[in-house]
Amino acid sequence: MSPVLEMNGIVKRFPGVLANDHVDLRVEKGEVHALLGENGAGKSTLMNVLYGMYEADEGDIRFKDQEVHVKGPGDAIALGIGMVHQHFMLVPALTVVENVILGMKDNGRVLDLKAAAEKITALAERYTMKIEPFTLVGQMSVGQQQRLEILKALYRGAELLILDEPTAVLTPQEVKGLFNMIGAFTSEGRTVIFISHKLKEVMAISDRVTVLRSGKVAHTLHTSDTDPKELARLMVGREIDLSCEKFSCADNREVLRMERVCAENEKGMAILKELNLTIREGEILGVAGVDGNGQDELAEVLTGLRRVTSGTITMNEKDITNASCRHILNQGVSHIPADRQLRGMIGDMNVVENLLLMRYHDRPFAKPFHLDWKRIEHRAETLVKEFQVKTPGIKVPMATLSGGNQQKVVLGREIERNPKLLVAMHPVRGLDIGATEYIHKRIIEQRDRGCAILLISTELEEILELSDRIVVMYEGEIMGSVDCSCVTIEQLGLMMAGHRWEEVAGEKSEG
Amino acid sequence: MMEWIFEFIAADLRTMTPILLAALGMAFSERAGSVNIGAEGIMLIGALAGAAGSFLFGSIWAGAFVAMASGALIALLFAYLTVTLYADQIVVGAGLNVLGLGLSTSIARVLFGVNTTPPQLDAYKIVPIPLLEKIPLLGPALFQQKLLVYVAIVLVPIVHFILFRTNMGLKIRAVGEHPQACDTLGINVYRTRYATLIISGVFLGLAGSYVSLGLLSFFTENMISGRGFIALAAVVFGKWKPKGILFAALLFGAGDALQFRLQASGTEIPYQFLLMVPYVLTIAALIGLVGKAKGPAARGKPYLK
Amino acid sequence: MRKSTIDLSKAVSPLLAIFFALLFGGAAIYLLGFNPLAAYASLAKGSVGSIKAVTETIVKAVPLIFTGLGFAVAKRCGMINIGAEGQLYMGGLFATAVGVYWDFLPPGIHLLAALAAGVVGGGMWGALAGWFKVRFGASEIITTIMLNYIASLFISFLVTGPMKEPKGEFPQSSQIAHTAQLPRILPGTRLHLGFIVALLALAFFYYFLWKTASGYEMRVVGMNPEAARYAGMNTAKSSLLAMFMAGGFSGLAGATEILGVQFRLFQNFSPGYGFDGIAVALLGRNTPIGIFLSGLLFGMLRAGANMMQMLAKVPVSVISIMQAFVILFVVGRSFFETRKSRVNILESESESDLEAEVGEGDRV
Amino acid sequence: AGSQEASEEEALKVALALPGPISDNGWSASAYEGLMMIEENYGAEVSYTENVSTSDMEDVFRSYSELGYSIIFGHGSQFTDAIHAVAGDYPDIQFIIINGNSPKAPNIACIQVADDQQGFMMGAVAALLTKTGTIGVIGGVEIPPIKMAVDGYMLGAKYADPNVEVLSTLTGSFDDVAKAKETALAMIGNGADIVGAIANQAGLGSIEGCKERGVMAVGSNQDQNPVAPDTVVVSVVKSIPVLFTFAFEKMAEGSLEPKVYRLGVNEGAVYLSSWHGFEDKVPAEVKAKLETIKDEVGSGTVKTQP
Ligand SMILES: Nc1ncnc2c1ncn2[C@@H]1O[C@H](COP(=O)(O)OP(=O)(O)OP(=O)(O)O)[C@@H](O)[C@H]1O
Ligand SMILES: Nc1ncnc2c1ncn2[C@@H]1O[C@H](COP(=O)(O)OP(=O)(O)OP(=O)(O)O)[C@@H](O)[C@H]1O
Ligand SMILES: [Mg+2]
Ligand SMILES: [Mg+2]
């Protein structure tokens, strides 16, 4: 078989960075080709070159045996290359149909949305997707948005589909759906390039793997000839250890208690329904569930960002129901928010100022009339060192750090306060395995120190690996609270789909 | 009483027209992400250009054309500075207001001379709509207006159609919401912003010419007197939708018309408070009726590839 | 280091921009039938040609610095304050009221009270727009424009009615008491103590935003309100405070103008200082030093403009064109730079330039 | 440099500070006309500054003083404070405040034009020509000359016809022509069939409104008939050039004193323009009546101010 895509000697420089250093990539027709590499290895850059977002400084691209010059995404689309970006490129204020047909060359001057909607529904059905053409994209869950992104590319007749970290925000069920779709797609003789940090997924879906390291190709190999350990070594250059010990903490003091807590979303719909929860000192409570089942609201209610409509929350026997955010923070609550860009950091501020975020009114840093910048900077240096943040300096804007390093800053800031309760949402979303390993280690350290941890994640593996106890949320309710050692992935999956523990407890695990 | 009401409606239609035209134009550019507080300056140049065109070529059509062309030209300058050079939209807008005032006054003096009787210009004329104008009371109020009054009203559904039913409109709205997403789909964000700004310039120029040649038939210094700012408010108040903008413009027109009439009928209220009516109305409308209106998400932000 | 090259381009491009503004302005002057060389000679004479000219430049820069600060402090908290003009009027009104009616106060105290009244008057007007924003979500861009009109009409009402000078004909208030006047710094010129107040305000602006916890809070709210909420900050309070400060600065523009230059309240007593303040702040990139320098630049233009009309017979309308060119060329200054550094300008607009301009040393 | 200064001293240098633009079709335009006349008739070197804001006034007067101008006009009572502040420092310079009322220094003279008489005459014209018995008057910004003229208008109208109804409005602006026009339309809607405006260029809007509705307008300040020949029946001219000439003649005699001079119909500073095309349409008795009223105003037998 001749390759459908050949990228030869691609070089892409950014000021001070050689993002792609003579990269050769060959992708066969009909295969799923995985692209692996640490954060900043140059994967997205390479794909952006292919898709016409960047112009390569050197190198050439052959697609379907033709030398091609992709000057912009328009050219790529015309060639039959589709890309689903790491950060979704959807317009939340527009409907599904509008997003799908946006910018299509063959749209009439006057839009026929009905006809387009029918085409889209038909296309979606072909790939066993369900999509409601006239809902606003802003009201859809991330999983749905992900599907929509793919649909957009399919609608444009993509022969080669680039998926940049498509599973970072998906639930296991959704990942399964995505993989089915990829299967259907490649069985039609079309091709997929798949970027992911999750080695298990890469093993499961891909035919071949190319590993990038520091902008260079480290290796290209057949998936069947390798294993996760080898891939990890190729990426990072050392062995990775992901196992951790678990403790029994049944007798420890209770830190947090939520009783019959209800809350509403912006539209006044009940989003948390009579929630009961407890966490003990030194315990990691994992909250599993499909995104959008009240996990965000749970974290917000706990940290004072959202009002409780009824019920009580007590922490260390003090009532903190509907207390102000500041008051709750002062009780020793730390929060790693789901979206670091949106909430966890200030991109335009430098690292020092970002590290100050929770402490700017605290004694040693805030003098009666001014901030003690000397002390603040000294502390920042220490934290940056302690948390191994890779940054050219402590005074560069946060936005210029890579996602993994941004997350380390957030984590460092939150852990440094020695919290009694740590609410961690998707703490490793989008991070490479090196960074993931590091952050998990630090979270466990906190647990060992006696901190109570609420770990919210859509990654079942992460939950199973770290948690001592697991609750599953579905439509704002808790389906069950189980000990980590006596539950299977299948049971969790069923609970995430809305079955109660009592219903699934009997199911025999298959190992 | 009835007569008074229809007189009032007629006055409302006349006064709201320049605001409506300007605001409809800005609906395009705002939808694509540009905030132009220089609308006042562009209208002022349009007012002068209309008078100059009519003066030099002896026809109102030439006047209207010159007004639209110069509006487009100034808008092009705005586009170049804010889109290509990423300059701050608010400062450029503020700069255009100063430029509009200086340029229109200077050129008017060169063209019409100082301290002379304003020249007799061909101006927009009243175009009665046959039959309809004969309806008692209603006819004279609604159907004996200048051409641009009808044009402005007819443009409301047209602009709505363009923005919400056509491919171009979809692109415009998307560019104002999420330019980067548009870029990944091969839409030229810069070209879209240029195009919408030029369209808005055409509308603003025309609106300006209506002030000099529709409301009046000559140009005087600074004659727009804040209508550009009010138009800007009308876009926000109308939630960036043509129908809403029509409603907002009618409301501002009504505020003005009411205030003239209250004064003319002799009231005890100091006139300054009557003059405040349209402005207070705007604020009241913003805080009472619109609520937390969010404009296009990328509004006011330069787009960097 | 890298820093030095950046500083160079930062310093050169505004100068180039001003040069081109003068060039194009000269072309406009020529096209409109005047002598550009004579015009610029008189501009220079009127703005820097003598001690008196320099002091006039400063006298005009004072309100511009204040209104520039009024725009900048709101911008730092994420709001666009087009309302400096109205806030200036309200500040002037309050200062006049204290200056005229509280003449029983001892000297010194009277002046301080009048200045404070200026802060309160402008601050209230700014906070009103802030309240509309945080309570009802009303766009401050629009409400501040509307409040400008309302303030100016309100003052028109007062000076033709309740505050009109007894027995006076012209619609104006009585003169403020001598004890409330800002003393002149240089005898024989109009340079008054307001200049020192402006310098203090610049220092306060810097100190507050970068050295205090509340200032830090305000900047966080301005850059990422979600993060501010997450950190337990009261974003509404910060926004209100920022708009109060914005109004307070602008109010000081009105207060110093009346207490130092005009001595009584008129309708339309500001020749557009509030609107120029927007340009001053943005040209100065919302930094203290930048605002100071661009305030002086606009002060020069205003002071020189009068002389341009007197000597070169260039009408004021042409001077508006020149001012517009300066604004447009300076904001379009990235024309003189490569695309890459253009992007840098934009991305570093907020934070890092302060360091570049104030110098790293200040932070450590 | 010395010889240059000498030659400069020879030429008479006259400066004028204006509150508005010279193209305002009213107050400032009329003063500009006066200045041009002085340049022509007396060979003076003249200079003017438009749109002088209150914060610039003192600076403008000082600058003119230092530039060697020997006669400096402040065109409006708003210049009073600034001239008072400057005049003491330059005793050799003659300052003249148009419409001022307090010549506090020996080198300050105030020359007033009888705005009230102008308004009175306009009101009389309107009252005598109305058929509906309702007339209108529109003022611009509320400043003394405007207020006096509007008050005079009402008194004049009532004097000519006690039964006439006068609608009066201030628009608060000299710029907003459209607003003045809408105001005129509103008045016409309320029954007025003749409207006068004292609002500088905004007044043009009022005339435009009258033209559109086919009713008559009374012009003000200048002869405004050419603006709308079929609409402006007559204008009551307020001639600033007459004031300037008066000042120059007094100075030539050396008899300009630091006091308030008031010029009106008697001095020819306020007069009725020609009737143009209306010459034959206006009844002779109306013209005669106006002639009488003019004489009464001049002799002071009627009250033109409230
Ligand atoms: N727009 C840009 N401007 C400057 N440098 C960039 C830009 N984008 C990427 N880089 C540089 O190129 C390198 C490669 O980045 P790229 O985004 O391709 O990494 P990646 O492999 O996709 O990482 P991740 O796993 O985090 O998505 C980065 O280390 C960065 O220094
Ligand atoms: N404008 C830029 N200038 C310089 N470097 C940049 C720029 N944008 C991105 N980078 C660099 O690109 C790299 C990856 O950026 P990217 O946006 O892919 O991060 P991310 O996907 O959020 O990170 P992660 O995958 O770790 O979550 C980072 O190393 C960052 O430093
Ligand atoms: Mg990437
Ligand atoms: Mg990434």
Side-chain angles (χ1 to χ4, degrees), chain A residues 237-251:
Chain A
R238 66 183 163 90
E239 298 290 334
I240 298 285
D241 172 30
L242 279 170
S243 60
C244 62
E245 290 170 63
K246 288 182 182 157
F247 297 101
S248 163
C249 44
D251 329 319

PDB file of all heavy atoms in Angstrom, chain A residues 237-251:
ATOM      1  N   GLY A 237      11.674   8.857  28.047  1.00  0.00           N
ATOM      2  CA  GLY A 237      13.069   8.512  28.194  1.00  0.00           C
ATOM      3  C   GLY A 237      13.373   7.876  29.527  1.00  0.00           C
ATOM      4  O   GLY A 237      14.525   7.822  29.938  1.00  0.00           O
ATOM      5  N   ARG A 238      12.352   7.439  30.267  1.00  0.00           N
ATOM      6  CA  ARG A 238      12.591   6.720  31.516  1.00  0.00           C
ATOM      7  C   ARG A 238      11.358   5.886  31.842  1.00  0.00           C
ATOM      8  O   ARG A 238      10.323   6.024  31.190  1.00  0.00           O
ATOM      9  CB  ARG A 238      12.900   7.695  32.665  1.00  0.00           C
ATOM     10  CG  ARG A 238      11.722   8.574  33.008  1.00  0.00           C
ATOM     11  CD  ARG A 238      12.047   9.587  34.084  1.00  0.00           C
ATOM     12  NE  ARG A 238      11.027  10.637  34.088  1.00  0.00           N
ATOM     13  CZ  ARG A 238       9.926  10.582  34.823  1.00  0.00           C
ATOM     14  NH1 ARG A 238       9.695   9.567  35.627  1.00  0.00           N
ATOM     15  NH2 ARG A 238       9.037  11.558  34.765  1.00  0.00           N
ATOM     16  N   GLU A 239      11.487   5.057  32.891  1.00  0.00           N
ATOM     17  CA  GLU A 239      10.339   4.233  33.282  1.00  0.00           C
ATOM     18  C   GLU A 239       9.342   5.062  34.075  1.00  0.00           C
ATOM     19  O   GLU A 239       9.703   5.968  34.806  1.00  0.00           O
ATOM     20  CB  GLU A 239      10.819   3.056  34.151  1.00  0.00           C
ATOM     21  CG  GLU A 239      11.775   2.112  33.464  1.00  0.00           C
ATOM     22  CD  GLU A 239      11.111   1.272  32.369  1.00  0.00           C
ATOM     23  OE1 GLU A 239       9.886   1.031  32.446  1.00  0.00           O
ATOM     24  OE2 GLU A 239      11.815   0.858  31.422  1.00  0.00           O
ATOM     25  N   ILE A 240       8.080   4.725  33.895  1.00  0.00           N
ATOM     26  CA  ILE A 240       7.037   5.441  34.614  1.00  0.00           C
ATOM     27  C   ILE A 240       6.355   4.465  35.569  1.00  0.00           C
ATOM     28  O   ILE A 240       6.035   3.338  35.188  1.00  0.00           O
ATOM     29  CB  ILE A 240       5.979   5.984  33.633  1.00  0.00           C
ATOM     30  CG1 ILE A 240       6.610   6.989  32.670  1.00  0.00           C
ATOM     31  CG2 ILE A 240       4.806   6.588  34.376  1.00  0.00           C
ATOM     32  CD1 ILE A 240       6.893   8.323  33.267  1.00  0.00           C
ATOM     33  N   ASP A 241       6.136   4.887  36.775  1.00  0.00           N
ATOM     34  CA  ASP A 241       5.487   4.024  37.764  1.00  0.00           C
ATOM     35  C   ASP A 241       4.182   4.666  38.196  1.00  0.00           C
ATOM     36  O   ASP A 241       4.157   5.777  38.697  1.00  0.00           O
ATOM     37  CB  ASP A 241       6.413   3.850  38.972  1.00  0.00           C
ATOM     38  CG  ASP A 241       5.698   3.127  40.084  1.00  0.00           C
ATOM     39  OD1 ASP A 241       4.795   2.298  39.782  1.00  0.00           O
ATOM     40  OD2 ASP A 241       6.032   3.392  41.255  1.00  0.00           O
ATOM     41  N   LEU A 242       3.087   3.959  37.984  1.00  0.00           N
ATOM     42  CA  LEU A 242       1.797   4.589  38.268  1.00  0.00           C
ATOM     43  C   LEU A 242       1.033   3.944  39.415  1.00  0.00           C
ATOM     44  O   LEU A 242      -0.072   4.327  39.722  1.00  0.00           O
ATOM     45  CB  LEU A 242       0.930   4.562  37.019  1.00  0.00           C
ATOM     46  CG  LEU A 242       1.240   5.675  36.007  1.00  0.00           C
ATOM     47  CD1 LEU A 242       0.510   5.435  34.716  1.00  0.00           C
ATOM     48  CD2 LEU A 242       0.924   7.043  36.589  1.00  0.00           C
ATOM     49  N   SER A 243       1.657   2.966  40.061  1.00  0.00           N
ATOM     50  CA  SER A 243       0.898   2.290  41.116  1.00  0.00           C
ATOM     51  C   SER A 243       0.944   3.102  42.402  1.00  0.00           C
ATOM     52  O   SER A 243       1.836   3.910  42.607  1.00  0.00           O
ATOM     53  CB  SER A 243       1.516   0.914  41.382  1.00  0.00           C
ATOM     54  OG  SER A 243       2.852   1.096  41.793  1.00  0.00           O
ATOM     55  N   CYS A 244      -0.061   2.922  43.212  1.00  0.00           N
ATOM     56  CA  CYS A 244      -0.031   3.620  44.497  1.00  0.00           C
ATOM     57  C   CYS A 244      -0.710   2.785  45.569  1.00  0.00           C
ATOM     58  O   CYS A 244      -1.516   1.917  45.273  1.00  0.00           O
ATOM     59  CB  CYS A 244      -0.689   4.967  44.370  1.00  0.00           C
ATOM     60  SG  CYS A 244      -2.418   4.840  43.927  1.00  0.00           S
ATOM     61  N   GLU A 245      -0.371   3.085  46.812  1.00  0.00           N
ATOM     62  CA  GLU A 245      -0.940   2.304  47.907  1.00  0.00           C
ATOM     63  C   GLU A 245      -2.232   2.936  48.384  1.00  0.00           C
ATOM     64  O   GLU A 245      -2.428   4.118  48.273  1.00  0.00           O
ATOM     65  CB  GLU A 245       0.023   2.305  49.102  1.00  0.00           C
ATOM     66  CG  GLU A 245       1.274   1.518  48.884  1.00  0.00           C
ATOM     67  CD  GLU A 245       2.229   1.785  50.017  1.00  0.00           C
ATOM     68  OE1 GLU A 245       1.885   1.458  51.168  1.00  0.00           O
ATOM     69  OE2 GLU A 245       3.304   2.346  49.764  1.00  0.00           O
ATOM     70  N   LYS A 246      -3.076   2.098  48.940  1.00  0.00           N
ATOM     71  CA  LYS A 246      -4.309   2.645  49.501  1.00  0.00           C
ATOM     72  C   LYS A 246      -4.390   2.330  50.978  1.00  0.00           C
ATOM     73  O   LYS A 246      -3.873   1.343  51.449  1.00  0.00           O
ATOM     74  CB  LYS A 246      -5.495   2.066  48.760  1.00  0.00           C
ATOM     75  CG  LYS A 246      -5.537   2.684  47.392  1.00  0.00           C
ATOM     76  CD  LYS A 246      -6.681   2.226  46.568  1.00  0.00           C
ATOM     77  CE  LYS A 246      -6.531   2.898  45.226  1.00  0.00           C
ATOM     78  NZ  LYS A 246      -7.215   2.165  44.188  1.00  0.00           N
ATOM     79  N   PHE A 247      -5.037   3.222  51.691  1.00  0.00           N
ATOM     80  CA  PHE A 247      -5.160   3.031  53.132  1.00  0.00           C
ATOM     81  C   PHE A 247      -6.602   2.797  53.484  1.00  0.00           C
ATOM     82  O   PHE A 247      -7.496   3.201  52.756  1.00  0.00           O
ATOM     83  CB  PHE A 247      -4.711   4.290  53.866  1.00  0.00           C
ATOM     84  CG  PHE A 247      -3.270   4.609  53.630  1.00  0.00           C
ATOM     85  CD1 PHE A 247      -2.909   5.598  52.723  1.00  0.00           C
ATOM     86  CD2 PHE A 247      -2.277   3.922  54.300  1.00  0.00           C
ATOM     87  CE1 PHE A 247      -1.594   5.895  52.508  1.00  0.00           C
ATOM     88  CE2 PHE A 247      -0.961   4.223  54.080  1.00  0.00           C
ATOM     89  CZ  PHE A 247      -0.606   5.209  53.181  1.00  0.00           C
ATOM     90  N   SER A 248      -6.789   2.221  54.625  1.00  0.00           N
ATOM     91  CA  SER A 248      -8.143   2.200  55.148  1.00  0.00           C
ATOM     92  C   SER A 248      -8.251   3.337  56.150  1.00  0.00           C
ATOM     93  O   SER A 248      -7.411   3.478  57.022  1.00  0.00           O
ATOM     94  CB  SER A 248      -8.408   0.865  55.851  1.00  0.00           C
ATOM     95  OG  SER A 248      -9.543   1.039  56.659  1.00  0.00           O
ATOM     96  N   CYS A 249      -9.259   4.142  55.989  1.00  0.00           N
ATOM     97  CA  CYS A 249      -9.344   5.297  56.874  1.00  0.00           C
ATOM     98  C   CYS A 249     -10.727   5.381  57.474  1.00  0.00           C
ATOM     99  O   CYS A 249     -11.250   6.448  57.740  1.00  0.00           O
ATOM    100  CB  CYS A 249      -8.999   6.566  56.111  1.00  0.00           C
ATOM    101  SG  CYS A 249      -9.785   6.626  54.511  1.00  0.00           S
ATOM    102  N   ALA A 250     -11.354   4.221  57.629  1.00  0.00           N
ATOM    103  CA  ALA A 250     -12.746   4.200  58.081  1.00  0.00           C
ATOM    104  C   ALA A 250     -12.954   4.882  59.432  1.00  0.00           C
ATOM    105  O   ALA A 250     -14.014   5.421  59.688  1.00  0.00           O
ATOM    106  CB  ALA A 250     -13.251   2.767  58.145  1.00  0.00           C
ATOM    107  N   ASP A 251     -11.939   4.881  60.304  1.00  0.00           N
ATOM    108  CA  ASP A 251     -12.163   5.461  61.628  1.00  0.00           C
ATOM    109  C   ASP A 251     -11.716   6.899  61.728  1.00  0.00           C
ATOM    110  O   ASP A 251     -11.827   7.521  62.775  1.00  0.00           O
ATOM    111  CB  ASP A 251     -11.406   4.656  62.715  1.00  0.00           C
ATOM    112  CG  ASP A 251     -11.299   3.211  62.358  1.00  0.00           C
ATOM    113  OD1 ASP A 251     -12.321   2.685  61.850  1.00  0.00           O
ATOM    114  OD2 ASP A 251     -10.218   2.622  62.568  1.00  0.00           O
TER     115      ASP A 251
END
